[in-house]
């Protein structure tokens, strides 16, 4: 095959599709615009100059576009990361914050290599639904301050923006409705001289590209000990938010992505961001939904261009971008909230059919996230609740039936179900130690032993019968259960 044909064979199909190019470029532009006020707001939360958050959004988006595993997902400076590292910056300064960002990136790469992303399969669907709904609520709550104590003109502008995003797609989908809404509202406010809060009111935009460098900290063990806890927290929160967002995009686009590569990509992006003086970040659910669900982007090009457009808009078109009314961006984010929220999950018809435990898990996830503003707390809380409910449900499935031989010399106890710490402990009280004959058979052919607690319980049963001079024979163990029982029986007493 000639080099030209090899080049065409290896080139992604979308590179030669003008329609895809238009969608990706316009989606990147919309996201780039939406990233600016968010990055500035998160910089304020972290206590750093707005340029630090904007630089982070630029380097995160561009780097993840190359190294990340989920196509079209947007990574940038986020509130979750800002909340984690804000105390470090407040108490020790920007240099230590940058060092923590780089170290967090290293931790994320290591966790990615170790396969931590595989833990995603233990996240129940009800937790995922709660995660999505709570994020929608948080994004909406973040817009409320922009509509409080503001000129009256803000409200009709927000309403007009929402109406344009609802009805413009019925005319054409060639241009993203959010972009049209932002352009029209900006033109109207400038032409009519309407005084409303603008992007420029959030903070000064950078006038040059970030320059690479090392963090201004002493490279000592004391520094490592100081920043390590913050770096670990940032790495875990960032990975959890990124992997949950990647899974959500997988479901929306009906495609699969490499979570291991995403973990490593997020780590590399944070390392690069740290060396360029950024505050670090992770996947952004709001901007990702703008990119994927509202604008229809599906490739890495939109992610890459979102970061590029962010810097171009700040450096080249800073004065114009500064005049964009916040009302236009608030309208975009409110539309994202409505598009992201899983309305089917709270429909009366769904709630009537859904098991109470599933509803409880979803509600606990939402409440934890909304109250703490920490996605990790919500996901962990919901997952732990789901595990407890599952353990209680499975524990009741372990049953015991007793059958005595006609001659009265032997009793056979048939145990059925999954034996683990929650179910096995109840077995001890299901045997008649005083009334049973001298020979007892425990038939486990319909059961499975999962842990040491189950082996310890079987040892206890044998010991109680032995105290009365009776013998116990355990039969029917499958191969894994027999192996675990053989290795642990007799070794757990007295502990």
């Amino acid at each position: 095959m000639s080099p030209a044909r090899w080049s065409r064979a290896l080139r992604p199909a979308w590179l030669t599709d003008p329609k895809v190019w238009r969608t990706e470029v316009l989606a990147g532009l919309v996201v780039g615009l939406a990233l600016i006020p968010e990055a500035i707001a998160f910089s304020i939360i972290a206590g750093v100059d707005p340029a630090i958050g904007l630089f982070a959004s630029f380097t995160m988006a561009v780097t993840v576009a190359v190294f990340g595993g989920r196509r079209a997902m947007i990574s940038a400076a986020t509130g979750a990361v800002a909340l984690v590292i804000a105390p470090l910056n407040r108490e020790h300064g920007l240099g230590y914050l940058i060092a923590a960002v780089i170290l967090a990136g290293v931790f994320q790469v290591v966790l990615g290599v170790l396969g931590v992303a595989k833990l995603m399969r233990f996240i129940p669907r009800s937790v995922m639904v709660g995660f999505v709904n709570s994020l929608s609520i948080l994004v909406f709550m973040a817009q409320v301050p922009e509509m409080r104590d503001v000129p009256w003109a803000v409200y009709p502008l927000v309403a007009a923006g929402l109406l344009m995003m609802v009805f413009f797609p019925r005319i054409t989908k060639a241009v993203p409705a959010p972009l049209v809404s932002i352009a029209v509202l900006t033109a109207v406010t400038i032409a009519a001289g309407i005084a409303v809060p603008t992007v420029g009111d959030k903070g000064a935009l950078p006038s040059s590209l970030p320059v690479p460098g090392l963090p201004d900290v002493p490279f000592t063990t004391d520094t490592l000990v100081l920043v390590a806890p913050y770096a670990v927290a940032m790495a875990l929160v960032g990975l959890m938010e990124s992997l949950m967002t990647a899974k959500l995009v997988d479901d929306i686009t009906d495609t699969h992505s490499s979570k291991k590569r995403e973990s490593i990509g997020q780590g590399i992006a944070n390392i690069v961001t740290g060396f360029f003086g950024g505050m670090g970040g992770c996947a952004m659910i709001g901007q990702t939904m703008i990119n994927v669900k509202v604008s229809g982007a599906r490739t890495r090009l939109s992610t890459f261009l979102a970061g590029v457009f962010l810097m171009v808009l700040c450096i080249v078109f800073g004065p114009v971008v500064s005049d964009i009314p916040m009302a236009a961006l608030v309208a975009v984010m409110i539309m994202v909230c409505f598009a992201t929220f899983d309305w089917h999950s709270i429909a009366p018809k769904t709630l009537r059919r859904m098991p109470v435990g599933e509803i409880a898990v979803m509600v606990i996830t939402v409440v934890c996230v909304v109250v703490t503003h920490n996605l990790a707390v919500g996901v962990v809380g919901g997952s732990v609740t789901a595990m407890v409910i599952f353990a209680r449900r499975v524990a009741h499935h372990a049953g015991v039936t007793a059958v005595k031989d006609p001659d009265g010399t032997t009793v056979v106890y048939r145990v059925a179900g999954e034996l683990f710490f929650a179910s096995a402990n109840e077995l001890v009280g299901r045997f008649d130690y005083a009334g049973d004959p001298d020979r007892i058979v425990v038939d486990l052919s319909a059961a499975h032993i999962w842990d040491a607690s189950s082996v310890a319980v079987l040892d206890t049963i044998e010991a109680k019968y032995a105290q009365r001079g009776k013998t116990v024979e355990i039969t029917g163990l499958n191969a894994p259960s027999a192996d675990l029982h053989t290795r642990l029986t007799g070794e757990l007493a007295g502990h």
Side-chain angles (χ1 to χ4, degrees), residues 295-348:
S295 301
R298 292 293 183 270
T299 76
R300 300 179 188 277
L301 180 61
S302 57
T303 306
F304 179 84
L305 289 179
V308 172
F309 281 139
L310 169 65
M311 278 293 100
V312 171
L313 289 167
C314 290
I315 296 172
V316 181
F317 300 101
V320 177
V321 173
S322 296
D323 288 334
I324 295 175
M326 284 301 300
L329 298 174
V330 167
V332 172
M333 297 311 295
I334 291 176
M335 182 59 69
V336 169
C337 295
F338 278 93
T340 303
F341 195 91
D342 188 348
W343 297 101
H344 177 72
S345 66
I346 61 171

Side-chain angles (χ1 to χ4, degrees), residues 34-247:
L35 281 173
I36 294 174
E38 295 279 316
I40 295 174
F42 297 146
S43 299
I44 294 171
I45 292 174
V48 299
D49 187 87
I52 303 298
L54 291 165
F55 288 156
S57 295
F58 163 62
T59 53
M60 287 293 298
V62 170
T63 308
V64 164
V66 178
F67 296 101
R70 175 64 257 177
R71 296 187 299 275
M73 191 169 76
I74 303 297
S75 290
T78 60
V81 169
L83 288 169
V84 170
I85 60 177
L88 179 62
N89 178 67
R90 184 171 57 251
E91 296 172 15
H92 301 282
L94 180 62
Y96 287 89
L97 182 152
I98 301 301
V101 170
I102 295 173
L103 185 58
V106 173
F107 286 150
Q108 287 178 330
V109 171
V110 172
L111 290 172
V113 172
L114 293 176
V116 70
K118 293 180 180 178
L119 295 176
M120 282 298 296
R121 68 178 183 270
F122 295 109
I123 304 295
R125 181 187 178 280
S126 50
V127 173
M128 191 69 191
V129 172
F131 169 81
V132 171
N133 291 347
S134 59
L135 279 173
S136 301
I137 295 171
L138 285 184
V139 172
F140 180 82
M141 290 172 61
Q143 312 313 310
V144 173
E146 304 297 338
M147 297 183 287
R148 186 184 297 148
D149 299 325
V150 294
W152 67 269
V154 167
Y155 303 109
L157 287 173
V158 171
L162 291 171
L163 289 173
M164 277 188 279
M165 284 183 284
V166 170
F167 292 106
F168 186 79
R170 300 183 183 183
I171 300 172
T172 178
K173 294 184 179 180
V175 181
L179 182 58
V180 174
S181 175
I182 292 170
V184 170
L185 294 183
T186 302
V188 168
T189 54
I190 294 175
I194 302 173
V196 292
T198 64
V199 171
D201 296 331
K202 288 289 185 180
L205 302 180
S207 57
S208 61
L209 290 170
V211 179
L214 295 174
D216 184 18
V217 296
F219 293 90
T220 62
T221 304
D222 290 339
T223 300
L224 179 63
V225 171
L226 176 64
V227 303
Y230 295 94
V232 170
M234 177 183 166
L236 294 176
V237 169
L239 274 188
M240 186 173 295
E241 187 166 350
S242 298
L243 294 177
M244 292 289 281
T245 304
K247 190 174 186 299

Side-chain angles (χ1 to χ4, degrees), residues 349-370:
K349 183 178 179 180
T350 303
L351 295 177
R352 283 195 298 268
R353 295 182 176 182
M354 190 72 67
V356 175
E358 300 285 322
I359 297 173
V361 170
M362 180 182 70
V363 171
I364 288 172
T365 303
V366 171
V367 171
C368 288
V369 172
V370 172

Side-chain angles (χ1 to χ4, degrees), residues 399-403 412-416 431 441-446:
V400 179
T401 57
V403 179
V412 178
Y413 284 93
R414 291 189 173 89
V415 181
F431 292 79
V441 176
V442 180
D443 181 6
L444 296 174
S445 57

